[in-house]
Amino acid sequence: MIFLDLSNKYIFDGSFGIERETLRVNEAGQLAQTPHPFPNDKYLDKDFCENQLELITPVCGSIDSLIKNLDKLDKKARATLLKQGEYLWLYSNPPCFETVNDIPIAKFNNDKLFKLNYRLNLEKRYGKRLMLYSGIHFNFSFSEKLLQSMCGDTDYKKFKTKLYFRMSKQICRYSWLLVLLTAASPVYDISLNTDHLSGDGFDGYSSRRNSDKGYWNNFIPVLDYSSLRTYIDSIRSYINRGVLFSAGELYLPIRLKPSGNNSLDALEKNGINHIELRMFDINPLTPLGMFREDMEFAHYFLIYLLSLPDFEFTPQLQKAAVENHRSAAKYDLSHIRINGYSAVDAAIGMLTDMEIYFTSFPHITDNIRKQKRKINENKRYCVEVYNKFGKNYKEEMLKMIKSSSN
């Protein structure tokens, strides 16, 4: 049994990090074909393609620090790109492109050649188009002082791993709520579907990358959550059978991260160091791609999830979790069902439980009420984005990113 005492003075302490993917575009809003402009900067990396710029903050001790570091990287990236007539396409769906030949796979050499080979394998299995989806990964860990104060006489490494492992099941089960509250990519250019076409597209999704049209494996992975060891073994089983190239190809809403090198061997040896949430859209309504209140809500949500009773994460529940996550990426709330219930009722019910849980913390209950208003008053980001960019998607988005870079 893990008991999280809200009166613990370290309860809201933690470590935070963000990885924000964005595409580089030229003056015309086309995918930039220039080499990655930050070849030796570990905080300004590239992802699948050469023109996909990833901003990686250092580990931060607060959300205030996280925002300052993200803003610093964002300004640095924009200033450099502006000198070469390029901009950050601050949106999860890509701009218009003519053919997949406009998507150059990221170049790696020497000791990083394995990264190129991995991307070539991804291209064969999924095609290039899916790789253009961009998002925000939110990394979190509780403070060591908090965990040590909770650990007691238990082996600390085992306690820490057990806590994060238990929390990971809850995140997977309830990831749909974060999608419902933060989805922000309803419109897209139809070149994402077919070569040599362009125009505004809307398929009834609030977030295409989180929907059934998004970046998922060709099957629903079922893992053994009996323990971290069985969990790792079940991933290795998929790799050994050739169903996955590596653990990095496991496309689920969260990842368990070890300290040091990110590998299954390190996870097995060192245990879980932090959790990575991978479901957040880039929100074009804010210059950094994610609002402070959503970062804060994600933090509170993780704390709240540890208060829920543990459960057996059966194959049936794992499949239902993925289905719920995809369903939450639909635009029309009246069409969304979560475990057979109205998505509105399910979301408001969970937010109300959170409100009760944090009743002694007015600043948190204020945040939760804002999240409720998104649902009750139809003020979700996807609605505002649709109203702002739903017509003339390319022109309006390009106008917005240019104005935000000057």
Side-chain angles (χ1 to χ4, degrees), residues 340-363:
Y341 297 95
S342 155
V344 171
D345 290 343
I348 295 301
M350 195 159 197
L351 289 170
T352 299
D353 285 345
M354 284 186 67
E355 203 173 349
I356 294 169
Y357 181 69
F358 289 113
T359 190
S360 300
F361 302 91
H363 66 291

Side-chain angles (χ1 to χ4, degrees), residues 281-320:
D281 276 352
I282 297 171
N283 193 328
L285 303 174
T286 176
L288 293 182
M290 189 173 184
F291 283 104
R292 172 192 292 269
E293 66 188 45
D294 295 321
M295 298 179 195
E296 292 173 342
F297 179 80
H299 181 200
Y300 305 145
F301 186 62
L302 294 176
I303 294 172
Y304 163 76
L305 289 181
L306 270 183
S307 74
L308 302 181
D310 198 10
F311 67 99
E312 181 184 356
F313 205 13
T314 64
Q316 292 76 18
L317 287 178
Q318 292 180 54
K319 291 176 182 177

